[in-house]
């Protein structure tokens, strides 16, 4: 009996030894791949960051500074590295700004985790400590934040221009920042003041002029010209607008058919019927007093024919055709009207009213502007102009980031200093907190604190300053209690960042830290990759 027990204990001892080499290799490979992605976008952090030129497979060229765009266009194959791409996407949807910051923080945390793992600390211990540290970090940031009122337009503009300063279009921030603030404030619903739907702000891009010509339009802008093939009107005052989803053209049968005509009288009858059919429709439209038609794009048959355009022009009705299906909701919300799906339902109460609709020439193209809309819905349109397509696309992305920053402030009304100040303060406070903790936890929290210094370090590095000297001086200033001291990249020295108007929403910083920590914890927990055929 004793021999059996001895044999059992011996076998259990031998079974308890598992080869951990493969697990460690997989973990190291994951961390290295993710760090490589983080290093790729690191140089584009901050106002002096570099831009990336992305050339896609179909020959399209994109010049951008936006972390989410860069990572989105990169073809990342390694699964762990893909997680960093997803991380920047989630930061983009949660806060809209700080997409580069979140990836750089995640990269720095992974670097610290690598050294902790080589010291033999278990991944689960590191993971739990990071979670604790991130909760503490959010508390520290909240304590640093300055409350803000939406009536304080100056502060909103400051935070929007801080977001724009790191973009290609930074020289236009004095124009774009107030424009972003005004457009977001105009769509805030008083009944639900904490929510902003950015779909209520439509950005129309037009190639001509410069970014300086970008404007906010209280109304609608169509990036197409009015149909005046038959000499129809191109300007209409006291417009009564109908959004129609049916076709003003001769009907067709639902199945494929061919009509055989043997003589001219039959042909005349068909043409006469078509004329009468179209005239009957236009008379019904005119009877309601409607003088502007927005016609939805049709895939079944032509929405309008030359004949119907001719009659519409005679009836003095302005026509805009080929309105995209997904624009209909925005148009009807703005005009406060209803889309009309059938000629039988065409009634005066379904029309929208505007003071003026006119066709305006811009460069070599034309646009249609609708202004003075009565009972206008809570929407607004931004007309972005630029000298070439690359500048316009980047201006649109930058404007989107600025709109997101203002949306963050509407959502959570707190401001925080920028320029690396909150990260250094976090690093200092978490470093002090780690000394109170016992065992491995304190060690891991200290590493978390050190990792956060990557932001001011990278800001200084990208601005061509001496990063070690700058970060050491920052630590010194923060230790003396100057919590809003950060790197002034323009002057190349350390100043009080709040006085320099470099501010950002609290939500951007807190979501960057929580999301980066979450992503790093997930990567740490992976110890094997299984390929499934």
């Amino acid at each position: 009996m004793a021999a059996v027990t001895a044999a059992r204990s011996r076998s259990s001892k031998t079974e308890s030894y598992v080869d951990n080499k493969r697990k460690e290799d997989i973990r190291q490979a994951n961390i290295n791949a993710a760090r490589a992605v983080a290093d790729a976008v690191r140089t584009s952090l901050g106002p002096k960051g570099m831009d990336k030129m992305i050339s896609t497979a179909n020959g399209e060229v994109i010049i951008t500074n936006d972390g989410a765009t860069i990572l989105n266009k990169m073809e990342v194959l390694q699964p762990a590295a893909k997680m960093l791409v997803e991380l920047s996407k989630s930061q983009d949807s949660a806060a809209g700004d700080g997409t580069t910051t979140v990836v750089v923080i995640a990269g720095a945390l992974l670097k610290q985790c690598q050294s902790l793992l080589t010291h033999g600390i278990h991944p689960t211990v590191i993971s739990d400590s990071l979670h604790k540290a991130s909760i503490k970090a959010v508390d520290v940031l909240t304590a640093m934040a300055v409350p803000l009122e939406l009536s304080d337009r100056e502060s909103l503009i400051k935070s929007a221009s801080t977001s724009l300063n790191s973009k290609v279009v930074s020289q236009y921030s004095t124009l774009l920042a107030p424009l972003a603030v005004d457009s977001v404030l105009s769509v805030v619903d008083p009944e639900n003041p904490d929510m902003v739907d950015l779909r209520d702000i439509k950005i129309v891009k037009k190639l001509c002029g410069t970014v300086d010509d970008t404007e906010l339009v209280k109304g609608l802008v169509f990036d197409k010209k009015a149909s005046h093939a038959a000499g129809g009107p191109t300007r209409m005052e006291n417009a009564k607008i109908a959004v129609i989803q049916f076709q003003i053209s001769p009907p067709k049968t639902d199945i494929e058919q061919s009509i055989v005509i043997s003589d001219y009288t039959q042909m005349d009858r068909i043409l006469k019927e078509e004329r009468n059919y179209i005239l009957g429709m236009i008379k019904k439209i005119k009877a309601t007093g409607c003088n502007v038609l927005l016609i939805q794009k049709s895939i079944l048959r032509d929405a309008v024919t030359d004949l119907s355009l001719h009659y519409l022009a005679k009836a003095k009705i302005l026509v805009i055709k080929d309105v995209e299906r997904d624009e209909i909701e925005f148009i009807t919300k703005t005009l406060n009207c209803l889309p009309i799906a059938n000629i039988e339902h065409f009634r005066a109460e379904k029309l929208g009213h505007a003071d003026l609709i006119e066709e305006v020439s811009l460069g070599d193209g034309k646009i249609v502007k609708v202004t003075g809309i009565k009972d206008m819905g809570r929407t607004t349109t931004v007309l972005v102009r630029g000298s070439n397509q690359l500048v316009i696309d980047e201006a649109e992305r930058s404007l989107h980031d600025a709109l997101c920053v203002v949306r963050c402030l509407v959502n959570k009304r707190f401001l925080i200093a920028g320029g690396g100040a909150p990260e250094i303060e976090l690093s200092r406070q978490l470093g002090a907190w780690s000394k109170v903790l016992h065992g491995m936890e304190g060690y891991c929290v200290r590493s978390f604190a050190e990792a956060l210094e990557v932001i001011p370090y990278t800001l200084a590095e990208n601005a061509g300053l001496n990063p070690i000297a700058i970060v050491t001086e920052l630590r010194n200033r923060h230790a003396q209690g100057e919590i809003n001291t950060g790197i002034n990249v323009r002057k190349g020295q350390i100043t009080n960042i709040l006085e320099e108007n470099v501010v950002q929403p609290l939500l951007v910083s807190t979501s960057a830290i929580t999301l980066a920590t979450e992503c790093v914890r997930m990567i740490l927990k992976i110890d094997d990759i299984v390929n499934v055929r």
Side-chain angles (χ1 to χ4, degrees):
M1 190 69 189
V4 176
T5 348
R8 263 192 205 153
S9 63
R10 199 177 310 125
S11 67
S12 66
K13 266 185 188 171
T14 51
E15 281 166 18
S16 68
Y17 170 73
V18 182
D19 182 17
N20 285 322
K21 187 79 182 91
R22 175 176 161 75
K23 291 176 183 176
E24 283 163 16
D25 287 350
I26 295 269
R27 204 172 274 122
Q28 290 296 339
N30 283 346
I31 290 175
N32 288 335
R35 278 183 62 195
V37 170
D39 288 343
V41 293
R42 204 180 130 177
T43 50
S44 62
L45 181 77
K48 299 277 181 176
M50 298 296 164
D51 302 331
K52 304 275 184 256
M53 183 184 260
I54 303 161
S55 177
T56 58
N58 57 5
E60 182 193 0
V61 174
I62 300 167
I63 296 173
T64 183
N65 182 295
D66 183 42
T69 311
I70 297 166
L71 292 174
N72 213 356
K73 298 288 177 189
M74 275 167 57
E75 288 199 7
V76 181
L77 297 176
Q78 217 273 355
K82 277 184 184 168
M83 286 166 69
L84 256 73
V85 177
E86 294 301 322
L87 170 68
S88 73
K89 276 188 197 167
S90 48
Q91 172 75 1
D92 198 28
S93 57
D97 197 21
T99 46
T100 315
T101 311
V102 71
V103 176
V104 172
I105 290 176
L109 284 174
L110 286 168
K111 186 182 177 184
Q112 292 291 345
C113 289
Q114 240 175 347
S115 72
L116 291 173
L117 287 168
T118 49
H119 287 137
I121 301 175
H122 196 275
T124 313
V125 176
I126 302 174
S127 169
D128 293 345
S129 306
L130 291 184
H131 181 56
K132 275 189 180 174
S134 76
I135 293 170
K136 175 76 173 173
V138 171
D139 293 344
V140 172
L141 284 173
T142 315
M144 280 177 72
V146 182
L148 158 102
E149 287 300 319
L150 283 188
S151 52
D152 184 4
R153 189 163 171 271
E154 281 301 305
S155 296
L156 291 172
I157 291 173
K158 282 175 196 171
S159 59
S161 57
T162 303
S163 163
L164 289 165
N165 277 341
S166 63
K167 306 284 185 246
V168 180
V169 290
S170 57
Q171 68 266 37
Y172 303 111
S173 62
T174 48
L175 165 81
L176 294 177
L179 193 141
V181 171
D182 292 341
S183 54
V184 170
L185 292 182
S186 66
V187 300
V188 173
D189 188 357
E191 290 173 13
N192 198 354
D194 290 347
M195 287 299 290
V196 174
D197 189 354
L198 290 185
R199 284 174 299 189
D200 291 340
I201 301 169
K202 186 182 177 196
I203 298 177
V204 178
K205 300 183 282 188
K206 194 69 185 162
L207 183 65
C208 66
T210 63
V211 181
D212 272 328
D213 301 325
T214 298
E215 59 179 318
L216 185 68
V217 180
K218 276 279 177 205
L220 273 175
V221 173
F222 294 99
D223 186 13
K224 44 177 76 75
K225 58 185 184 186
S227 277
H228 37 71
T234 58
R235 177 188 165 91
M236 188 66 67
E237 290 182 6
N238 292 327
K240 291 179 181 173
I241 308 160
V243 179
I244 64 170
Q245 296 179 303
F246 57 87
Q247 295 87 14
I248 307 180
S249 58
K252 278 184 179 177
T253 52
D254 291 341
I255 51 172
E256 271 300 316
Q257 95 303 341
S258 57
I259 300 169
V260 179
I261 298 172
S262 53
D263 61 0
Y264 281 115
T265 51
Q266 288 175 324
M267 194 165 153
D268 282 346
R269 257 181 70 195
I270 288 175
L271 291 172
K272 198 173 181 182
E273 281 300 320
E274 281 186 5
R275 269 205 300 275
N276 289 342
Y277 177 80
I278 291 169
L279 266 171
M281 288 177 96
I282 291 171
K283 278 177 183 168
K284 282 181 183 172
I285 290 170
K286 194 67 185 164
T288 59
C290 165
N291 53 15
V292 176
L293 274 187
L294 305 178
I295 305 176
Q296 183 180 314
K297 208 173 195 174
S298 169
I299 52 169
L300 297 171
R301 55 194 166 109
D302 296 335
V304 279
T305 61
D306 290 345
L307 186 64
S308 57
L309 280 176
H310 168 73
Y311 285 135
L312 285 165
K314 277 198 161 181
K316 294 278 185 291
I317 294 176
L318 188 148
V319 179
I320 299 169
K321 57 181 185 180
D322 293 343
V323 175
E324 293 293 340
R325 192 188 187 98
D326 47 8
E327 287 179 14
I328 294 286
E329 189 185 344
F330 181 83
I331 292 167
T332 50
K333 187 174 181 179
T334 306
L335 293 172
N336 205 358
C337 66
L338 292 168
I340 303 165
N342 194 315
I343 186 70
E344 301 304 327
H345 303 153
F346 209 104
R347 296 192 192 91
E349 59 266 23
K350 291 192 176 183
L351 306 182
H353 300 267
D355 292 344
L356 177 66
I357 290 190
E358 61 176 337
E359 190 178 77
V360 185
S361 290
L362 281 187
D364 54 357
K366 289 183 177 178
I367 61 164
V368 177
K369 265 189 187 179
V370 184
T371 47
I373 299 169
K374 292 189 176 63
D375 302 326
M376 182 174 158
R378 291 191 174 276
T379 62
T380 187
T381 307
V382 180
L383 180 62
V384 178
R385 313 259 300 271
S387 53
N388 63 39
Q389 201 57 46
L390 297 175
V391 171
I392 293 178
D393 290 344
E394 183 58 13
E396 185 201 13
R397 280 190 290 269
S398 308
L399 190 59
H400 176 262
D401 278 11
L403 291 171
C404 286
V405 163
V406 184
R407 185 188 65 179
C408 281
L409 288 172
V410 171
N411 204 343
K412 199 171 186 183
R413 296 170 191 188
F414 285 97
L415 276 176
I416 198 169
E423 282 82 11
I424 280 285
E425 184 59 24
L426 274 180
S427 180
R428 189 184 70 77
Q429 293 207 23
L430 289 175
W433 185 55
S434 71
K435 290 171 185 166
V436 182
L437 296 170
H438 298 293
M440 290 297 180
E441 262 187 1
Y443 200 64
C444 296
V445 170
R446 190 158 82 239
S447 295
F448 184 97
E450 282 170 18
L452 290 172
E453 286 183 0
V454 73
I455 298 291
Y457 190 93
T458 309
L459 280 174
E461 199 173 43
N462 289 348
L465 308 171
N466 181 348
I468 296 171
I470 290 277
V471 172
T472 311
E473 178 60 21
L474 263 180
R475 277 191 209 143
N476 182 22
R477 292 282 196 89
H478 278 259
Q480 289 166 14
E482 301 175 28
I483 61 167
N484 290 323
T485 306
I487 304 168
N488 186 332
V489 177
R490 291 216 177 88
K491 293 181 181 171
Q493 62 197 59
I494 289 169
T495 53
N496 185 329
I497 283 291
L498 276 186
E499 288 168 11
E500 297 286 340
N501 298 334
V502 179
V503 286
Q504 62 189 32
L506 173 65
L507 195 64
V508 171
S509 294
T510 52
S511 89
I513 284 175
T514 46
L515 289 172
T517 313
E518 214 168 84
C519 180
V520 170
R521 289 180 65 207
M522 211 180 278
I523 291 174
L524 275 181
K525 289 278 185 80
I526 298 167
D527 70 347
D528 206 348
I529 296 176
V530 181
N531 291 322
V532 182
R533 286 276 173 269

